[in-house]
Amino acid sequence: MRPQLEGTAATMRRTTLVTAMATGVALVLTACGGGGSSSSGSDSGEVTFWDTSGPNESPVFKKIAEACATKDGYKVKTETVAFDQALNNYKTAAQGGQGPDVFRSEVAWVPQLAKNGLVADLSDTDLAKDTSDFLEVPLGSTKYEGKSWGVPQVTDSLALLYNKKKLADAGVTPPKTWDELKAASAKLGGEKSFFLNNDAYYALPFIYGAGGDLVDAQAKKIVVNSAENVKALQTAKGLLDAKAASTALDPTNSYANMQAAFSSGDAAMVVNGPWAVADYLKGAAFTDASNLGIAPVPGDSAGKGSAPVGGHDYVIRQGTKAKQSSIKFIQCMSSADSQAQVAKELGLLPTRKSAYSNADVKANAVVSAFEPVAKSAHARPWIPEGGQLFDPLKIAYADVLAGKKEAKAALDEVAKAYKDTVVPEYSVG
Amino acid sequence: MRRFLERHWYAYAMVLPVVVVIAVLVLYPLAQGVFFTFTNINEANIANPVLDRPATYEGVGFKNYLNVLSGDASYGAFWGTLVRTLIWTFGCVFFHYTIGLGLALLLNRQVKGRTFYRVLLILPWAVPAFISAFAWKYMFNAQYGIINQFLRALGLPDPVWLGQSNWALLAVIVVNVWLGVPFQMVALLGGLQSIPGDLYEAAEVDGATPWQRFVHVTLPGLRSVSSTVILLGIIWTFNMFPVIYLIAGPNPNTRILVTYAFERFFSGASRDYAIASTYGVLILSVLLVFATVYRRALRSQGEVW
């Protein structure tokens, strides 16, 4: 009889928990949805903003958001949402007619959200007027089927970040090609000198640098298993084999280990974006911020380095009760002044051309170092499936780096997964 | 019939709320899930009443089942995943039971500080599973984790625990064993305490060795408890999601049926409800078959269950 009692107790505990959670969720949902009626004309005047930036950046966005709200006369509530959960949470909430009014969406998510009808079409609003000031590639991420769905918030790309002192001590200059990086590593103390993150996004510099791509959206072709890409992954694996780089072969720990290795000074070089800089500057190796060097990512040959464009866009949820306020909010958040403030305080790259001429922005070392990198960044296919391309590639890339599979075989599997589950209407090859 | 209703209407009225609740909470979602497996439903063609969007998914017959059961890697390599799920389930339950029984036997005697040990041993159960999972994830970190630091200090090889190999499966089994032992221990301890002491005395008088007492008194005395907790353990472990997902993420080397269903339903970007439901139905079928076989086996041994 004992175990059954135990079982019941466990069930009861779980049931209570579920009830408590359900009540909690219900309360939150009521709180979010409160105020205003659903007709398009009215506006609740309360904007809930889901900020997906990390703990280093979020306070600054919050501050600017509150300044905007005070200036333009509406209320704003900034809620921070973990980046890796954000898309999922947003989709679930928006599908149920709940969620934020304004969402900070990664550039690759916008076409997908647009296709699923979860973000509002902004083509006829003020936000779609006068977009000539925005950089073209980030602006491209807000378009889907000829309509406008968002406003670029920040742009970014990957660059080679290096420890100036370590490189100077070893007498090497920042490598321009992967071969140079190999040679430099030998002088910098071998495999510890370059930390290679084994996440799919970080495979893109190798792939773009070798002239490859994942899909050709124009020709509707899957090109992920091209000869260029095979060579690209072999280059990455070659760095590990030549003891010129190290990686965390357990993918779940890879990013955290990279951050730890570089900010402690263990690793002399990493490839990462401007969002990581604030994190590094807290580390022991960069108590003097000027020790952080930023250079374009190496390529197969000098000057051929190429990194993906990244960044974030503001979107408005389809079904929001505060569309007018949200539009005003985004206008204010993405104004040249706000962007300059973000650039100055966080070193994130503005999406407006005019913001780059601001004196404070010019004086920011991180922004000025990343500016040429971001402006020449490799565009990504702005298709609804753009965000789904990484899941299969991530596993393949980790397998290749771990030596479990050959690059060609692994990429053939990715191509098959793309064809079967991501972009069935595309042809392989 | 009419008289029957007249006579028992009260009973039916009393049962009705339960029937309605079960129909709404269990049967309707179940039927809907089964229905989805015959469609191509996903997040792009699902109906959205809030946004005034009608459903546009269509029936595809048995295509989902054929895709999944073909064992294609794009649909989760079903058969390989099933084998891994079985290794995971029986590996975990075996160690849950044996370690749990061992600890229960140790605690079932008068030792100093028995209450203290009991509290200590129940601790893994008291900590929320996701907190334990994150703690273990840090401990398994190949470079900085305490486990590998320890192994290195002893001069032993330090495997990449959560990498692209079967070490990852071993790692998550270790964590789940650690998490699951307390329940088995508590349940079996309860069972042990319900075995009458005079049976042991009689066995001792007859000259039975401790081993013989264990095999012929303890194990038969525990049978009804064991059969229940093992069945529960198997069902829970078969569908144990958080440990694997939080520690290893979408790693194909630790993928079991239920984590793959989640991957297809939720994670990343592709929300393929049809494939996820197909997995759900297949998981349910496997468990139903298992429970039936298990019950038959018990009944043939004379258990009334």
Side-chain angles (χ1 to χ4, degrees):
Chain A
M1 232 20 238
R2 241 333 181 37
Q4 274 162 358
L5 280 177
E6 292 292 344
T8 320
T11 321
M12 272 176 61
R13 199 178 59 174
R14 216 165 292 155
T15 318
T16 328
L17 189 67
V18 170
T19 320
M21 276 167 57
T23 322
V25 170
L27 283 175
V28 171
L29 293 183
T30 340
C32 290
S37 69
S38 60
S39 70
S40 56
S42 72
D43 189 289
S44 69
E46 271 182 60
V47 178
T48 304
F49 170 45
W50 272 12
D51 183 10
T52 58
S53 62
N56 292 318
E57 302 168 8
S58 194
V60 176
F61 286 118
K62 188 171 177 183
K63 193 172 70 186
I64 299 175
E66 272 158 16
C68 282
T70 318
K71 185 171 68 109
D72 291 339
Y74 47 85
K75 278 189 207 154
V76 68
K77 198 162 105 209
T78 308
E79 293 173 359
T80 52
V81 182
F83 175 71
D84 53 350
Q85 308 292 326
L87 178 61
N88 238 334
N89 289 356
Y90 179 82
K91 284 203 277 195
T92 308
Q95 173 73 20
Q98 303 288 346
D101 302 294
V102 177
F103 177 51
R104 176 187 188 259
S105 161
E106 213 262 347
V107 284
W109 302 343
V110 176
Q112 190 194 15
L113 295 174
K115 184 189 171 203
N116 291 347
L118 299 177
V119 291
D121 179 4
L122 305 176
S123 308
D124 300 330
T125 67
D126 289 348
L127 293 177
K129 285 178 199 148
D130 266 345
T131 52
S132 56
D133 192 27
F134 286 101
L135 297 171
E136 257 168 58
V137 176
L139 188 66
S141 73
T142 65
K143 305 273 191 239
Y144 173 65
E145 291 193 332
K147 289 179 181 161
S148 223
W149 304 90
V151 177
Q153 181 201 32
V154 291
T155 185
D156 60 51
S157 186
L158 295 172
L160 182 78
L161 307 181
Y162 60 96
N163 189 324
K164 278 186 188 166
K165 187 171 173 308
K166 284 199 133 183
L167 264 67
D169 287 352
V172 292
T173 52
K176 292 193 173 60
T177 67
W178 299 115
D179 285 334
E180 278 181 41
L181 188 138
K182 247 187 232 179
S185 281
K187 294 186 193 151
L188 281 161
E191 58 180 338
K192 288 251 162 165
S193 57
F194 178 60
F195 195 103
L196 188 66
N197 185 9
N198 60 11
D199 197 5
Y201 191 69
Y202 293 78
L204 292 180
F206 289 101
I207 288 176
Y208 292 158
D213 207 335
L214 304 183
V215 294
D216 182 344
Q218 230 96 60
K220 292 202 177 281
K221 270 174 133 178
I222 296 166
V223 293
V224 71
N225 54 349
S226 66
E228 288 88 355
N229 288 6
V230 172
K231 186 163 159 274
L233 295 206
Q234 282 165 347
T235 305
K237 172 72 173 141
L239 293 177
L240 296 180
D241 290 343
K243 304 266 179 229
S246 63
T247 181
L249 289 170
D250 35 0
T252 46
N253 290 318
S254 188
Y255 191 82
N257 285 12
M258 167 169 74
Q259 299 304 85
F262 190 59
S263 43
S264 68
D266 269 358
M269 297 176 283
V270 291
V271 168
N272 213 340
W275 62 84
V277 169
D279 220 11
Y280 292 140
L281 292 181
K282 287 183 188 164
F286 303 102
T287 40
D288 174 13
S290 65
N291 190 32
L292 179 71
I294 299 167
V297 288
D300 279 11
S301 53
K304 281 281 160 67
S306 181
V309 68
H312 300 271
D313 296 334
Y314 292 109
V315 294
I316 296 179
R317 180 172 62 83
Q318 176 72 9
T320 172
K321 287 168 183 145
K323 193 168 177 185
Q324 292 315 315
S325 302
S326 297
I327 289 171
K328 274 192 263 173
F329 175 70
I330 293 177
Q331 276 175 329
C332 177
M333 290 296 280
S334 61
S335 70
D337 286 347
S338 300
Q339 292 207 348
Q341 192 182 346
V342 170
K344 184 183 145 204
E345 294 192 28
L346 297 172
L348 298 180
L349 301 174
T351 52
R352 279 180 183 276
K353 292 170 198 158
S354 59
Y356 285 95
S357 50
N358 181 303
D360 286 336
V361 177
K362 276 187 176 161
N364 186 300
V366 178
V367 175
S368 46
F370 264 103
E371 186 187 341
V373 175
K375 283 187 172 164
S376 64
H378 195 294
R380 282 150 67 190
W382 305 124
I383 52 172
E385 297 83 7
Q388 302 175 31
L389 297 171
F390 291 108
D391 289 346
L393 183 63
K394 181 182 171 134
I395 293 168
Y397 190 44
D399 277 346
V400 169
L401 292 184
K404 206 186 155 201
K405 279 185 189 149
E406 285 301 318
K408 174 72 179 152
L411 289 174
D412 280 343
E413 278 172 34
V414 177
K416 183 173 173 335
Y418 283 0
K419 173 78 186 161
D420 286 343
T421 63
V422 183
V423 279
E425 70 279 16
Y426 282 30
S427 64
V428 180
Chain B
M1 185 67 198
R2 194 154 164 216
R3 273 189 52 203
F4 184 77
L5 274 179
E6 265 166 26
R7 184 146 26 117
H8 295 292
W9 70 269
Y10 189 70
Y12 286 108
M14 296 306 275
V15 168
L16 191 66
V18 178
V19 173
V20 170
V21 166
I22 290 197
V24 170
L25 292 184
V26 179
L27 296 180
Y28 174 67
L30 187 67
Q32 197 178 35
V34 174
F35 169 67
F36 285 163
T37 65
F38 298 106
T39 66
N40 64 350
I41 189 166
N42 63 35
E43 62 176 343
N45 57 27
I46 192 171
N48 190 329
V50 183
L51 308 177
D52 264 342
R53 193 179 66 198
T56 51
Y57 56 88
E58 333 170 310
V60 294
F62 285 92
K63 199 169 137 229
N64 292 323
Y65 288 97
L66 293 177
N67 280 337
V68 169
L69 294 175
S70 69
D72 195 317
S74 302
Y75 297 94
F78 180 78
W79 300 106
T81 308
L82 180 64
V83 169
R84 194 178 303 106
T85 311
L86 295 176
I87 295 173
W88 151 262
T89 307
F90 290 102
C92 285
V93 173
F94 175 78
F95 287 111
H96 283 159
Y97 185 76
T98 47
I99 298 175
L101 181 60
L103 291 173
L105 287 171
L106 288 179
L107 284 181
N108 194 31
R109 57 186 73 190
Q110 286 304 328
V111 279
K112 230 179 172 182
R114 188 164 75 153
T115 332
F116 175 70
Y117 288 127
R118 278 192 188 178
V119 171
L120 209 62
L121 287 168
I122 207 92
L123 212 60
W125 201 30
V127 180
F130 75 94
I131 292 179
S132 315
F134 281 123
W136 279 95
K137 184 173 136 183
Y138 290 124
M139 297 198 330
F140 276 124
N141 187 321
Q143 226 174 330
Y144 300 103
I146 193 167
I147 295 174
N148 274 2
Q149 282 182 12
F150 183 70
L151 290 175
R152 277 194 288 263
L154 292 178
L156 294 169
D158 50 340
V160 181
W161 290 101
L162 300 174
Q164 308 301 109
S165 69
N166 286 329
W167 284 114
L169 185 62
L170 182 69
V172 289
I173 289 179
V174 167
V175 178
N176 195 42
V177 167
W178 183 83
L179 276 171
V181 160
F183 171 73
Q184 299 276 352
M185 184 192 75
V186 171
L188 292 170
L189 190 57
L192 285 177
Q193 285 170 349
S194 71
I195 300 174
D198 37 359
L199 288 182
Y200 287 103
E201 280 167 30
E204 223 168 325
V205 170
D206 288 344
T209 62
W211 175 250
Q212 284 171 327
R213 269 179 274 152
F214 174 70
V215 173
H216 297 291
V217 180
T218 310
L219 285 185
L222 276 180
R223 184 181 284 160
S224 61
V225 175
S226 301
S227 58
T228 312
V229 291
I230 287 177
L231 180 66
L232 281 179
I234 286 173
I235 293 175
W236 286 345
T237 313
F238 198 88
N239 284 334
M240 175 56 90
F241 164 78
V243 171
I244 291 184
Y245 204 76
L246 294 178
I247 293 179
N251 181 340
N253 296 288
T254 57
R255 179 187 284 159
I256 64 170
L257 295 177
V258 67
T259 58
Y260 188 71
F262 179 87
E263 272 177 48
R264 290 310 285 261
F265 197 99
F266 265 123
S267 97
S270 54
R271 290 187 160 186
D272 194 329
Y273 302 137
I275 296 289
S277 307
T278 309
Y279 264 85
V281 170
L282 290 171
I283 290 169
L284 180 68
S285 322
V286 171
L287 285 176
L288 276 180
V289 169
F290 169 76
T292 317
V293 172
Y294 191 83
R295 270 187 68 178
R296 287 260 165 81
L298 286 184
R299 204 178 288 156
S300 68
Q301 287 177 17
E303 291 286 338
V304 185
W305 190 75

